[in-house]
Amino acid sequence: MIQFKKISKIFYPKTVAVKDINLSIRPKEFVSIVGQSGAGKSTLIKLLTSQLKPNSGQIIVGGWDITDIKAKEIPLLRRQIGVVYQDFKLLPSKNIYENVAFALEVCGVPNKRINSVVPQVLKIVGLKEKAGHYPDQISGGEIQRAAIARALVHRPKILLADEPTGNLDSLNTKDIIDLLLKINEFGTTIMLVTHNKDVVNRIKKRVVLMDHGEIISDQEEGKYIL
Amino acid sequence: MFASTFRVTKFALQDFFRNFWLSLVTLTILVLALVTVNLLVIFNVVAKTAINTIEDKVDISIYFKSEISEDQVMNVQKYIQGLAQVKSVDYISKEQALENFKNKHQDNPKIIQSVEEIEKNPLGASLIIKAKNSSDYPAVLDILQTPQYNNLIESKDFDDHKTVIEKINGITQKVGRSVIIIALVFALISILIIFNAIRMAIYTHREEIFAMKLIGATDWFVEGPFLLQGVIFGIMSMVITLLILYPLLGFIRPYLQLILEGDFNIVKYFNQNFLLIFGLELLGAILLNLISSYIAVKRYVKV
Ligand SMILES: Nc1ncnc2c1ncn2[C@@H]1O[C@H](COP(=O)(O)OP(=O)(O)OP(=O)(O)O)[C@@H](O)[C@H]1O
Ligand SMILES: [Mg+2]
């Protein structure tokens, strides 16, 4: 589903964020990426959404070589990927329903379908009652669930989550992780970047450990070791 | 494409009302700029009209010797009329001159009497020449100076106008130049202010733009609402400007009429040039908004 082949990303003048990375993720897999701050985890995510271009190597997403993707095709790529960030803001001028619907409107989905899909997704993330609330009227955990709903609503095959639980308490964190596991069970490939040791140990899925831009361990059913 | 155009319109309107205060600030700045542009237009019209009024009072009177026949005078009139610089030549016959003279001295029986005592009309015919531009008078005078005409002429009445004309020419040029400079400086300032107001408005949306792009929105989908808003701002500011301007014109109209004499009507002037003045202003406002919005959004769209 996702393949990094000898990927390097160097920030001018000489910060090596990611170095000769080889990583292959199968469809429906759940992979946790862990590692110290500055290890290159977010860089990996941004390379997948084409926010960053690699200096060398090859990236393939769902059989599509996006290494030299044209600017015009980037929207198409992003519509096949859902992204959730720790501080990936919802649009403050739109309520929760509109925020989620927006991801579909952007893709040109007809209104009829939007009206049927959005309530379903809001129900999955448990925000049906808050649909009319604006982002500043709900809690951090709810915002993050709304962000996941937005990332999921167009049924992407891949969900990228960069520290989605970064500023949540343990109860909300558990909620989010359970939600991600549920989504994974439905068949979505998930790449989760996290600092949270408990989270990784609880998930009991593949763990990739990065350090200074390199992968130093890759274990099925891994534990968080530093 | 149709659905996305509809959505772009929806988002543009939604954003306008949900960010009402910011919209209001941008709109106010636009209206202020447009009102000031129109004040400049008024100033320009008033200055030009004032100069025209004074210029219109300037003329050359040439008085022919009394023995010169009407035919000869007519010939001169014809010739002068044919000059490129000349706007009009009025002929005043001997009889008319006498009539005017009598009217002028109605209250002075002595003069009237002495005129009536002379049987022959002592006055000559005269021509009143108006040039198209005050700067043309010297050339006309030069022509009249040639012996061919000078011999027929008793006296010319222009010298006392000469300084006035020079002054007017000076004023006309200065006013023209300063209006252009003021207009240019002002245009530059308003462009900067409006550009910055729009940049500010779009800056507050940068996270939104970023989010849209990450969801997979095309550039057009992100830019569209902002561009459309630019057009809406342009139209709204023009309408508000008209609502402010016309009462203002009505208010200053009597005063201008007093200052400028004659039947000068500023409201009528704007009505007659409505499409030209406001069409250009509207076009300018919309273009400025579109360009500013486009440049401002482009910065954040590249994610
Ligand atoms: N835009 C950038 N310009 C220059 N250097 C950058 C840029 N983004 C990231 N870096 C550098 O690249 C390296 C990897 O950054 P990255 O964000 O991938 O780390 P990370 O593993 O996500 O860290 P964290 O856990 O703190 O989020 C760091 O040394 C960082 O300083
Ligand atoms: Mg990071």
Side-chain angles (χ1 to χ4, degrees):
Chain A
M1 191 51 125
I2 299 171
Q3 276 177 291
F4 291 94
K5 292 184 183 166
K6 284 187 75 86
I7 283 294
S8 291
K9 176 69 198 176
I10 298 152
F11 286 109
Y12 187 84
K14 55 180 197 296
T15 311
V16 183
V18 158
K19 198 163 121 195
D20 280 338
I21 291 274
N22 285 301
L23 178 65
S24 182
I25 297 170
R26 291 181 303 277
K28 302 183 184 182
E29 216 174 348
F30 192 125
V31 182
S32 302
I33 313 278
V34 299
Q36 279 178 342
S37 186
K41 308 180 295 291
S42 296
T43 303
L44 224 48
I45 300 277
K46 287 176 184 161
L47 284 167
L48 280 176
T49 56
S50 200
Q51 282 167 267
L52 295 175
K53 289 259 155 61
N55 292 80
S56 64
Q58 196 186 18
I59 306 175
I60 296 167
V61 177
W64 181 7
D65 185 343
I66 62 155
T67 320
D68 295 313
I69 189 169
K70 292 197 194 80
K72 229 175 62 193
E73 295 171 331
I74 292 178
L76 282 178
L77 168 71
R78 291 181 182 163
R79 288 174 200 180
Q80 292 171 36
I81 301 175
V83 255
V84 186
Y85 289 124
Q86 174 178 333
D87 58 350
F88 187 7
K89 302 266 176 5
L90 297 173
L91 309 188
S93 63
K94 293 186 193 296
N95 64 34
I96 301 308
Y97 181 95
E98 288 167 338
N99 260 290
V100 176
F102 186 67
L104 291 177
E105 291 178 317
V106 158
C107 303
V109 174
N111 283 328
K112 228 175 113 187
R113 187 160 158 69
I114 294 179
N115 292 336
S116 75
V117 171
V118 175
Q120 282 175 26
V121 176
L122 283 178
K123 195 174 162 201
I124 292 174
V125 300
L127 284 178
K128 221 176 153 196
E129 271 74 51
K130 308 273 168 139
H133 286 57
Y134 284 82
D136 58 3
Q137 297 169 334
I138 58 174
S139 74
E142 286 166 337
I143 285 186
Q144 211 49 283
R145 276 186 278 154
I148 292 174
R150 178 178 63 182
L152 280 181
V153 70
H154 56 293
R155 308 199 172 208
K157 297 209 176 59
I158 301 167
L159 181 68
L160 308 175
D162 193 348
E163 301 189 37
T165 60
N167 46 14
L168 300 182
D169 61 28
S170 56
L171 216 67
N172 274 314
T173 299
K174 184 181 168 299
D175 273 0
I176 298 290
I177 298 305
D178 286 346
L179 187 57
L180 291 179
L181 285 168
K182 188 158 97 187
I183 292 160
N184 179 239
E185 265 167 38
F186 291 157
T188 307
T189 310
I190 293 188
M191 216 169 131
L192 168 70
V193 172
T194 183
H195 271 120
N196 194 317
K197 190 174 154 189
D198 298 337
V199 165
V200 177
N201 293 342
R202 218 170 67 79
I203 294 173
K204 297 202 181 68
K205 306 251 182 192
R206 183 173 168 194
V207 176
V208 173
L209 174 62
M210 290 185 69
D211 189 34
H212 289 96
E214 291 178 283
I215 293 178
I216 54 171
S217 102
D218 184 348
Q219 295 175 291
E220 297 292 330
E221 273 215 34
K223 295 249 177 198
Y224 192 98
I225 22 161
L226 267 187
Chain B
M1 190 62 201
F2 177 75
S4 94
T5 307
F6 174 76
R7 277 171 191 166
V8 162
T9 313
K10 184 181 97 182
F11 293 144
L13 292 174
Q14 242 177 31
D15 185 76
F16 182 88
F17 290 106
R18 290 191 183 169
N19 295 291
F20 185 73
W21 288 109
L22 198 62
S23 306
L24 201 65
V25 169
T26 314
L27 209 54
T28 308
I29 290 172
L30 275 166
V31 169
L32 281 180
L34 280 175
V35 167
T36 319
V37 166
N38 282 304
L39 290 183
L40 274 179
V41 172
I42 294 174
F43 176 70
N44 194 25
V45 176
V46 169
K48 273 210 179 115
T49 312
I51 287 164
N52 279 342
T53 316
I54 302 170
E55 233 172 11
D56 221 41
K57 285 185 183 152
V58 175
D59 55 31
I60 306 175
S61 299
I62 41 180
Y63 301 99
F64 290 87
K65 294 174 177 160
S66 61
E67 67 266 23
I68 304 299
S69 74
E70 196 169 325
D71 279 350
Q72 280 174 297
V73 176
M74 290 296 208
N75 273 338
V76 177
Q77 181 184 16
K78 229 189 214 157
Y79 174 74
I80 296 173
Q81 191 91 69
L83 295 174
Q85 303 97 321
V86 171
K87 189 164 83 183
S88 71
V89 184
D90 286 332
Y91 169 63
I92 295 172
S93 66
K94 285 180 174 187
E95 294 74 29
Q96 183 72 45
L98 188 61
E99 194 71 20
N100 290 351
F101 184 81
K102 281 182 180 168
N103 279 340
K104 197 171 166 191
H105 298 284
Q106 241 170 1
D107 308 332
N108 198 332
K110 257 190 189 164
I111 294 180
I112 301 285
Q113 203 187 357
S114 62
V115 171
E116 273 169 358
E117 268 167 17
I118 315 168
E119 269 171 34
K120 221 173 131 241
N121 184 349
L123 298 174
S126 59
L127 292 177
I128 298 171
I129 305 168
K130 283 198 164 149
K132 283 176 185 151
N133 282 307
S134 54
S135 55
D136 291 334
Y137 283 105
V140 176
L141 281 174
D142 273 354
I143 291 165
L144 295 172
Q145 208 63 52
T146 54
Q148 186 191 355
Y149 298 111
N150 210 19
N151 290 337
L152 310 174
I153 293 170
E154 172 89 42
S155 69
K156 294 191 285 283
D157 180 8
F158 184 67
D159 285 347
D160 30 343
H161 289 319
K162 205 165 180 174
T163 46
V164 178
I165 287 175
E166 274 164 5
K167 262 190 204 149
I168 292 173
N169 278 336
I171 294 171
T172 316
Q173 276 177 6
K174 266 187 212 136
V175 169
R177 234 181 277 149
S178 25
V179 165
I180 290 174
I181 292 173
I182 294 172
L184 280 181
V185 168
F186 194 78
L188 205 73
I189 294 173
S190 16
I191 286 173
L192 281 178
I193 293 178
I194 291 167
F195 181 68
N196 268 306
I198 290 176
R199 245 186 27 182
M200 279 276 291
I202 290 178
Y203 176 80
T204 61
H205 286 91
R206 67 199 182 287
E207 280 179 342
E208 236 172 297
I209 294 172
F210 177 70
M212 289 186 200
K213 283 305 301 274
L214 275 196
I215 290 169
T218 55
D219 286 2
W220 142 250
F221 201 89
V222 177
E223 288 158 9
F226 292 107
L227 298 185
L228 194 65
Q229 247 182 36
V231 175
I232 294 173
F233 275 136
I235 294 171
M236 283 180 77
S237 58
M238 194 69 245
V239 170
I240 296 173
T241 302
L242 285 176
L243 292 179
I244 295 174
L245 190 68
Y246 266 92
L248 185 76
L249 289 178
F251 178 74
I252 60 171
R253 188 181 66 107
Y255 296 99
L256 290 182
Q257 224 150 11
L258 229 91
I259 299 167
L260 294 174
E261 313 179 347
D263 53 355
F264 178 73
N265 186 335
I266 189 79
V267 179
K268 206 166 132 201
Y269 176 83
F270 271 89
N271 281 341
Q272 276 166 351
N273 299 287
F274 192 91
L275 276 186
L276 182 69
I277 297 175
F278 301 118
L280 278 180
E281 285 176 10
L282 179 65
L283 199 73
I286 289 179
L287 272 183
L288 181 56
N289 282 332
L290 276 181
I291 294 170
S292 310
S293 309
Y294 186 75
I295 294 174
V297 182
K298 259 291 171 243
R299 266 186 65 154
Y300 304 111
V301 150
K302 289 199 179 99
V303 185

